[in-house]
Amino acid sequence: MKNKSDKELVLTSNNLILKHLVREPKVETSKNRAIILLHGVGSNEQDLFNLAGHLPAEFFVIAARAPFALGPERFAWYQVDFSTGKPVFNEAQELSSRETIRKFIAEVKQKYSLDEVYLGGFSQGAIMSYSIGLRHPKEVNGIIALSGRVLEDLQSTVTKNDELYRLKVFIAHGMQDATLPVHYAKQAKTFLQHLDVPLTYQEYNMGHQISGEVLKDLNAWLNAK
């Protein structure tokens, strides 16, 4: 194991299918492992990249920008409307983003010779992580779902299979979340348990956010892999 100097910790944005930021590992290990982070609606890659310093030093931390622009520095994986009290989303954009993220995962695996990839995100980013990881479990080693939900069509189409048994999932959700209430996390928990997916599930005394306690538990989960 070798420690890198601060000068070797490069933050970059590369010409892959998605614009992104990268924190290279601070510590070299026998495996190249990465956390790919997907931001929520109306945000950008810098948002979750700010968490890089709070994530394990042995990992690449890669934060991607969603492809659909909502305004200056505001992006989304798909457009969504909450005016009815229930999320209504653009299904064509969701499918397009899903395939784009899969291509991005393949690109970064090749670029950084990655052995393991943990795909995760906040809110809409967590939704996308569920949709990709559960449909294509061979492509990732784990899912990190922070304040997200599982889309209804996923619940009706994904069934038990051997690949899901090796997929690991970390769910964190606020009990006071007014944007995506905690019942969405409970539904995801029940669904994943039905699929026999290895699951770590935590509820927190917070709203629609990521707390220090969440990061502490996420680090413990990642370091246990």
Side-chain angles (χ1 to χ4, degrees):
M1 185 178 291
K2 177 185 175 184
N3 291 324
K4 291 186 176 183
S5 69
D6 288 342
K7 291 182 180 179
E8 293 176 287
L9 306 181
V10 183
L11 311 184
T12 60
S13 181
N14 302 298
N15 294 322
L16 303 186
I17 195 168
L18 288 174
K19 293 184 178 179
H20 62 287
L21 296 169
V22 180
R23 186 210 70 186
E24 296 187 349
K26 298 178 182 178
V27 177
E28 291 182 359
T29 60
S30 59
K31 286 186 176 181
N32 288 333
R33 297 183 291 171
I35 306 162
I36 297 177
L37 295 173
L38 310 177
H39 61 77
V41 63
S43 189
N44 59 55
E45 70 278 17
Q46 186 63 56
D47 185 23
L48 294 186
F49 191 68
N50 290 328
L51 302 179
H54 303 281
L55 294 171
E58 298 84 359
F59 284 75
F60 286 87
V61 178
I62 302 170
R65 177 191 293 184
F68 297 104
L70 303 180
E73 302 303 316
R74 298 178 64 247
F75 300 88
W77 303 102
Y78 54 85
Q79 292 177 325
V80 60
D81 179 11
F82 287 94
S83 63
T84 63
K86 182 179 180 181
V88 177
F89 66 97
N90 186 313
E91 295 182 14
Q93 289 181 345
E94 190 273 336
L95 176 59
S96 175
S97 284
R98 197 192 314 158
E99 294 308 307
T100 298
I101 294 165
R102 290 181 64 202
K103 291 177 184 176
F104 180 70
I105 292 170
E107 287 178 338
V108 296
K109 279 183 177 179
Q110 182 176 25
K111 181 175 179 63
Y112 298 108
S113 301
L114 297 177
D115 301 298
E116 296 180 6
V117 170
Y118 295 86
L119 178 66
F122 175 73
S123 194
Q124 194 179 79
I127 295 170
M128 298 304 302
S129 300
Y130 276 135
S131 292
I132 294 165
L134 294 176
R135 281 191 176 91
H136 309 284
K138 288 184 178 181
E139 297 177 15
V140 298
N141 296 83
I143 298 170
I144 301 165
L146 309 178
S147 303
R149 71 183 183 107
V150 175
L151 296 179
E152 288 79 2
D153 71 315
L154 195 65
Q155 298 180 48
S156 63
T157 57
V158 174
T159 57
K160 291 183 182 181
N161 63 72
D162 291 342
E163 289 300 325
L164 286 174
Y165 299 153
R166 54 161 286 281
L167 186 69
K168 301 173 179 65
V169 180
F170 177 87
I171 297 177
H173 212 104
M175 292 182 286
Q176 284 81 47
D177 192 331
T179 303
L180 290 175
V182 71
H183 70 79
Y184 285 118
K186 296 179 187 294
Q187 288 175 355
K189 177 183 178 182
T190 300
F191 178 56
L192 293 171
Q193 288 175 332
H194 172 72
L195 295 175
D196 293 329
V197 175
L199 174 65
T200 296
Y201 177 91
Q202 297 285 348
E203 294 178 11
Y204 300 86
N205 185 25
M206 64 179 190
H208 195 63
Q209 63 191 97
I210 302 171
S211 69
E213 189 177 3
V214 170
L215 293 173
K216 179 182 176 182
D217 290 342
L218 176 57
N219 271 269
W221 181 80
L222 289 165
N223 286 325
K225 303 303 134 202

